[in-house]
């Protein structure tokens, strides 16, 4: 089901997204560097849109997002793209209608990741390829140091199990998928302030509530100032660090 609260949050933030998508730009470069994108491309969780001009074999792009506001930005930035407002776990695309799927830091939002993978399989043609970047477990240790709780992200073995992979051999037990590449990379981004750091994590499905129970909004002024001081103590010459573990998965539908 499409989560209206998530959709509304992203819609309201759509016009400001590019000011805070530091991580997304880094992972997009890595993801595209190993992606096989051809024909009709579906960009799931497209945000304000991605340029695929480096992929000459891509004939047309369908930009898909849960937030209507993001798709408005896509139509401004890439008027040649088709747009589709739906959830990755329930794609409103016909079966066998897409040659390749691209998704950069969106699928960690899914409550049921295997369901999203099943939907990708359904819409892909035979031998179609998906290229995914997903926030994985081990991310955001600095937030815990600062006294914030963070939501849990899936491990790489858990993500790969949705493709039928059961062990480190990377051999899929599911005849419908062949995993071409899977790796986890650590990415550290830096921020000038704690406020900008916390704002950035909203775009990747993270939360930063107060350790225990209270949310960020419930922090007293003194508690907030304590965290600002702690964050400054973590700062390097580059700024306040925030570390992610990113799972990159490239898989072909058999």
């Amino acid at each position: 089901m499409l989560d209206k609260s998530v959709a509304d949050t992203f819609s309201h933030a759509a016009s400001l997204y590019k000011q805070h998508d530091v991580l997304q730009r880094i992972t997009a470069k890595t993801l595209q560097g190993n992606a096989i994108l051809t024909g009709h491309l579906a960009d799931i969780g497209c945000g304000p849109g991605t340029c695929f001009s480096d992929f000459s074999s891509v004939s047309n792009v369908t930009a898909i997002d849960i937030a209507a506001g993001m798709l408005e930005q896509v139509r401004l930035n890439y008027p040649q793209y088709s747009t589709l407002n739906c959830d990755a776990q329930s794609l409103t695309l016909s079966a066998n209608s897409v040659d390749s799927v691209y998704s950069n830091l969106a699928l960690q939002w899914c409550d049921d990741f295997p369901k999203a993978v099943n939907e990708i399989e359904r819409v892909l043609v035979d031998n179609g390829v998906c290229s995914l970047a997903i926030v994985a477990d081990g991310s955001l240790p600095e937030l815990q140091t600062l006294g914030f709780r963070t939501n849990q992200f899936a491990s790489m073995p858990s993500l790969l199990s949705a493709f039928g992979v059961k062990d480190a051999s990377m051999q899929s037990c599911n005849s419908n998928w062949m995993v071409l590449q899977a790796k986890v990379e650590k990415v550290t981004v830096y921020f000038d302030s704690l406020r900008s750091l916390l704002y950035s994590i909203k775009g990747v499905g993270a939360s930063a509530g107060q350790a225990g129970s209270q949310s960020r909004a419930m922090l007293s002024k003194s508690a907030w100032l304590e965290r600002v001081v702690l964050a400054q103590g973590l700062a390097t010459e580059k700024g306040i660090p925030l570390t992610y573990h990113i799972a990159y998965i490239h898989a072909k539908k058999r």
Side-chain angles (χ1 to χ4, degrees):
M1 294 293 291
L2 188 146
D3 187 328
K4 189 176 186 302
S5 64
V6 171
D8 288 347
T9 297
F10 273 109
S11 289
H12 293 154
S15 62
L16 300 174
Y17 186 85
K18 281 294 182 183
Q19 298 177 23
H20 303 279
D21 66 344
V22 179
L23 177 67
Q24 285 88 338
R25 283 183 270 124
I26 293 171
T27 56
K29 184 175 181 180
T30 301
L31 185 61
Q32 292 184 24
N34 292 285
I36 303 170
L37 304 178
T38 61
H40 179 195
L41 166 65
D43 180 3
I44 299 177
C46 61
T50 297
C51 178
F52 295 105
S53 60
D54 288 343
F55 296 89
S56 58
S57 296
V58 170
S59 57
N60 58 303
V61 175
T62 297
I64 301 168
D65 207 280
I66 195 173
M70 287 296 184
L71 297 178
E72 290 176 6
Q73 294 297 309
V74 172
R75 286 188 282 270
L76 289 172
N77 298 330
Y78 304 97
Q80 71 275 29
Y81 291 0
S82 300
T83 58
L84 202 56
N85 184 204
C86 64
D87 188 339
Q89 298 159 113
S90 184
L91 296 172
T92 53
L93 286 168
S94 300
N96 306 305
S97 64
V98 170
D99 299 294
S100 50
V101 167
Y102 174 92
S103 184
N104 181 34
L105 302 189
L107 296 181
Q108 67 274 355
W109 280 97
C110 294
D111 293 329
D112 189 341
F113 178 71
K115 187 174 182 180
V117 172
N118 288 341
E119 279 292 273
I120 291 171
E121 179 188 329
R122 180 182 67 80
V123 303
L124 274 175
V125 300
D126 290 345
N127 295 314
V129 176
C130 68
S131 294
L132 317 175
I134 306 165
V135 180
D137 67 338
S139 297
L140 310 176
E142 295 87 354
L143 288 185
Q144 297 176 42
T145 300
L146 294 173
F148 292 105
R149 59 171 175 76
T150 59
N151 54 326
Q152 295 298 307
F153 297 105
S155 66
M156 176 63 100
S158 175
L159 294 171
L160 287 176
S161 69
F163 293 88
V165 174
K166 302 302 183 185
D167 54 47
S169 70
M170 293 292 294
Q171 295 300 310
S172 175
C173 299
N174 178 350
S175 61
N176 294 331
W177 286 109
M178 177 188 298
V179 176
L180 305 175
Q181 184 184 57
K183 62 180 180 179
V184 176
E185 291 189 355
K186 185 169 73 172
V187 179
T188 303
V189 290
Y190 298 88
F191 299 88
D192 294 333
S193 68
L194 178 58
R195 194 174 301 278
S196 61
L197 180 154
L198 292 176
Y199 192 94
S200 75
I201 70 173
K202 295 179 181 179
V204 295
S207 63
Q210 186 175 350
S213 61
Q214 291 180 302
S215 68
R216 156 75 181 87
M218 296 294 290
L219 283 175
S220 66
K221 183 177 180 181
S222 61
W224 172 250
L225 291 175
E226 287 177 4
R227 282 162 174 75
V228 170
V229 172
L230 283 172
Q232 291 171 344
L234 293 177
T236 69
E237 291 182 356
K238 295 180 180 179
I240 304 168
L242 192 59
T243 304
Y244 288 89
H245 288 204
I246 306 298
Y248 295 97
I249 299 173
H250 302 271
K252 176 186 288 189
K253 176 182 173 180
R254 299 189 191 193

